[in-house]
């Protein structure tokens, strides 16, 4: 690192030949090349990081955001077709980000290796093992949810319309434990951060939420309050005892499972105000069935979707409706809708199955950024790989598609750089600010 004064400016990088403006009226340092021209945004970030003027995470967030905004269907990567009918659920292991689970309407479970071991441009993600129809412990009916054990790929869980939740030993591909219920199982979820409990929340046709303890092998808790079937359950990624449940009764409840006094918060779309019409009942999160839940990666906000074709963003601590307007989000599913959110981006993005495409929203502004099209039938689920900013989706067309950042894409400059338009794939932080000497003259 060279430190010297040149024409009133301090040179900070020999390799890039960049210097920083010493103007005291600037909120942030201004970077220029040796000819006095503004640097492109990414080079500016790199130079600021190298000099210690900026947070290293800012560069990472900026690159992650750029990759997400350039997602498109990858023609060089296929996922082996295993299921004979629709793919209902996907999950990528949080430990290595290498293995993906899938569950289908045919009751089959498959495990894929996402790593490109061939090192070739074109390759297929192969299924390394399956629980097929000939397996002695295969689910009898549709598999609705699969999830890896958060700390180890040696175990995973699955739940099905056959009224069972199974805990699988990955190495032996045999169930280590089976929980049976009286009603159809719609969903389950295990806390990604829990260290003081091993509870799995299970949503069934019964309005009571059941908590299964892996240590004891039995259902130890029952949460009562809903009046309809439980379509989605999610543990908080921030507090290990906080659970959120969504039901066909149009309500979303936040629970502290350590307390027996009922739910902590009942989400109200009107924030306590009297409903403006009789059709909008008080103390409801949506005006229809609530069939999808997803926390933001930091756990500070909660997204919900309902059959009223609305998506809402809530403060997870207070239960306050932030009133972000996402427009119409078509949702005709009578089961749980499995959508995903990004991690490590700025801003965060939501990937929501809408009919045969995946709508990508800016979570905090509500703006529809783009729609990912490639499926030939309804999209049932999607999951986000945060290490490489990749997206995988499963649909009723039996396909699992891989959406990979296309970093060679040339983005068209926006006439209004302060507000990106729908379908724009370029983040403002990457807009090129080079100017030629001819233009300056």
């Amino acid at each position: 690192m060279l430190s010297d004064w040149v024409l009133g400016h301090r040179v900070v990088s020999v390799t890039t030949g960049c210097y920083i403006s010493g103007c005291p009226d600037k909120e942030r340092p201004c970077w220029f090349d040796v000819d006095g021209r503004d640097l492109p945004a990414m080079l500016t970030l790199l130079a600021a990081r190298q000099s210690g003027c900026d947070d290293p995470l800012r560069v990472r967030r900026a690159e992650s955001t750029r990759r997400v905004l350039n997602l498109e269907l990858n023609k060089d990567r296929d996922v082996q077709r295993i299921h004979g009918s629709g793919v209902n659920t996907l999950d990528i292991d949080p430990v290595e980000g290498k293995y993906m689970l899938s569950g289908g309407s045919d009751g089959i479970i498959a495990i894929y290796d996402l790593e490109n071991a061939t090192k070739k441009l074109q390759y297929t993600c192969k299924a390394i093992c399956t629980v097929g129809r000939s397996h002695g412990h295969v689910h009898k009916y549709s598999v609705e949810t699969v999830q890896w054990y958060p700390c180890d790929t040696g175990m995973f869980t699955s739940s099905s319309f056959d009224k069972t939740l199974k805990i699988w030993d990955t190495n032996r591909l045999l169930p280590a434990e089976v929980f049976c219920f009286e009603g159809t199982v719609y969903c389950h979820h295990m806390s990604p951060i829990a260290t003081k409990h091993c509870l799995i929340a299970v949503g069934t046709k019964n309005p009571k939420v059941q908590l299964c303890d892996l240590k004891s092998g039995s259902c130890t808790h029952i949460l009562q309050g809903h009046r309809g079937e439980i379509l989605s359950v999610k543990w908080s990624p921030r507090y290990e005892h906080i659970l959120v449940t969504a039901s066909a009764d149009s309500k979303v409840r936040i629970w502290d499972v350590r307390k027996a006094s009922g739910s902590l918060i009942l989400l109200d779309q009107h924030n306590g105000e009297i409903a403006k019409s009789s059709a909008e009942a008080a103390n409801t999160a949506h005006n229809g069935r609530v069939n999808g839940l997803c926390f933001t990666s930091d756990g500070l906000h909660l997204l919900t979707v309902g059959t009223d074709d609305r998506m809402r963003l809530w403060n997870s601590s207070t239960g306050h409706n932030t009133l972000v307007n996402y427009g119409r989000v078509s949702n005709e599913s009578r089961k749980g809708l499995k959508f995903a959110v990004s991690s490590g981006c700025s801003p965060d993005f939501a990937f929501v199955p809408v009919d045969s495409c995946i709508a990508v929203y800016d979570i905090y502004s509500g703006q529809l950024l783009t729609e990912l099209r490639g499926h030939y039938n309804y999209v049932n689920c999607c999951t986000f790989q945060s290490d490489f900013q990749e997206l995988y989706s499963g649909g009723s067309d039996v396909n699992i598609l891989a959406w990979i950042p296309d970093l060679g894409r040339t983005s068209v400059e926006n006439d209004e750089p302060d507000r990106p338009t729908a379908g724009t794939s370029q983040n403002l932080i990457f807009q090129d600010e080079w100017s030629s000497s001819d233009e300056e003259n």
Side-chain angles (χ1 to χ4, degrees), residues 53 62 76 103 153 174 204 229 274 287 380 383 421 440:
C53 295
D76 297 323
T153 55
L174 293 173
T204 69
E229 51 199 5
I274 300 176
N287 296 323
N380 299 323
T383 185
T421 57
E440 293 176 352

Side-chain angles (χ1 to χ4, degrees), residues 352-417:
V352 185
V354 177
D355 297 328
S356 62
C357 70
I358 302 169
V360 183
Y361 292 92
D362 180 326
I363 289 179
Y364 301 109
S365 73
Q367 183 180 8
L368 174 62
L369 299 175
T370 187
E371 292 181 335
L372 305 178
R373 299 182 181 274
H375 284 280
Y376 297 104
N377 208 327
Y378 286 103
V379 181
N380 299 323
C381 58
C382 58
T383 185
F384 184 72
Q385 213 282 13
S386 59
D387 293 334
F388 301 104
Q389 294 77 46
E390 299 172 352
L391 186 72
Y392 293 84
S393 60
S396 298
D397 58 1
V398 197
N399 291 317
I400 298 176
L401 300 183
W403 307 87
I404 312 297
D406 178 16
L407 301 183
R409 181 189 303 178
T410 302
S411 299
V412 179
E413 292 187 0
N414 193 349
D415 293 335
E416 298 179 2

Side-chain angles (χ1 to χ4, degrees), residues 308-320:
D308 57 354
D309 295 337
R310 290 289 181 265
M311 181 164 67
R312 294 193 167 93
L313 180 69
W314 311 81
N315 183 309
S316 61
S317 297
T318 64
H320 181 79

Side-chain angles (χ1 to χ4, degrees), residues 31-331:
W31 291 87
F32 305 91
D33 69 358
V34 291
D35 295 324
R37 295 178 298 186
D38 292 349
L39 285 179
M42 177 50 75
L43 290 181
T44 299
L45 290 172
L46 292 174
R49 174 180 176 178
Q50 184 177 2
S51 66
C53 295
D54 210 341
D55 182 1
L57 288 178
R58 177 175 162 81
V59 178
R60 180 175 179 177
R61 286 194 299 266
E63 177 62 12
S64 297
T65 303
R66 182 172 77 102
R67 292 174 64 87
V68 170
L69 290 173
N70 285 281
L71 283 174
E72 69 174 30
L73 185 61
N74 192 281
K75 299 178 181 179
D76 297 323
R77 186 182 308 185
D78 291 324
V79 180
Q80 183 181 0
R81 181 180 291 187
I82 296 296
H83 298 281
S85 56
V87 180
N88 292 333
T89 175
L90 297 170
D91 190 44
I92 297 176
D93 81 271
V95 179
E96 301 178 68
K98 178 181 177 181
Y99 301 106
M100 182 173 67
L101 281 167
S102 71
S105 299
D106 51 8
I108 293 175
I109 299 172
I111 301 178
Y112 300 89
D113 187 347
L114 301 180
E115 189 176 36
N116 183 6
T118 66
K119 306 302 179 185
K120 296 179 180 179
L121 180 61
Q122 295 184 342
Y123 72 100
T124 299
C125 299
K126 297 286 188 180
I128 55 178
C129 57
T130 61
V131 181
R133 298 310 305 173
S134 60
H135 194 285
H137 299 278
V138 66
H139 282 288
K140 295 180 181 179
Y141 305 121
S142 173
V143 175
E144 291 302 303
T145 309
V146 291
Q147 185 188 5
W148 286 104
Y149 182 61
C151 304
D152 187 1
T153 55
M155 185 172 78
F156 67 90
T157 59
S158 65
S159 57
S160 167
F161 275 0
D162 63 8
K163 305 179 182 180
T164 63
L165 165 67
K166 296 185 178 182
I167 317 300
W168 295 86
D169 181 329
T170 308
N171 297 318
R172 299 170 59 210
L173 210 61
L174 293 173
E177 189 69 62
V178 179
F179 296 90
C180 298
F181 304 91
E182 295 180 357
T184 300
V185 180
Y186 287 105
C187 57
H188 76 270
H189 192 238
M190 192 184 314
S191 172
I193 61 168
T195 58
K196 298 180 180 179
H197 70 77
C198 294
L199 298 175
I200 303 178
V202 183
T204 69
K205 194 171 184 178
N206 190 306
K208 299 177 182 178
V209 181
Q210 305 202 44
L211 303 182
C212 300
D213 190 352
L214 289 180
K215 291 183 177 179
S216 66
S218 61
C219 294
T220 58
H221 296 69
I222 292 178
L223 305 179
Q224 301 186 61
H226 285 293
R227 296 184 177 180
E229 51 199 5
I230 309 300
L231 300 177
S232 185
V233 293
K234 280 291 184 296
W235 291 95
S236 167
R238 193 176 187 87
Y239 305 106
E240 64 177 271
H241 294 99
I242 298 299
L243 175 70
V244 181
T245 59
S247 171
D249 63 4
S250 304
K251 297 182 178 182
V252 175
R253 294 179 180 269
I254 300 178
W255 313 78
D256 185 336
V257 297
R258 297 170 297 181
K259 300 181 179 180
S261 57
S263 58
L264 289 177
I265 302 174
L266 179 60
L267 299 187
D268 181 7
Q269 59 182 307
H270 307 292
N271 289 328
E273 298 180 3
I274 300 176
K276 295 181 179 180
S277 68
S278 58
E280 299 178 347
N283 297 322
T284 57
H286 288 263
N287 296 323
R289 299 156 60 94
V290 188
N291 60 352
L293 295 171
C294 196
F295 278 96
T296 54
S297 57
D298 57 13
L300 295 177
H301 291 87
L302 174 72
L303 280 166
T304 63
V305 293
T307 55
D308 57 354
D309 295 337
R310 290 289 181 265
M311 181 164 67
R312 294 193 167 93
L313 180 69
W314 311 81
N315 183 309
S316 61
S317 297
T318 64
H320 181 79
N321 182 3
T322 63
L323 303 178
V324 175
N325 182 13
Y326 298 95
R328 183 177 183 273
V329 183
S330 179
N331 179 4

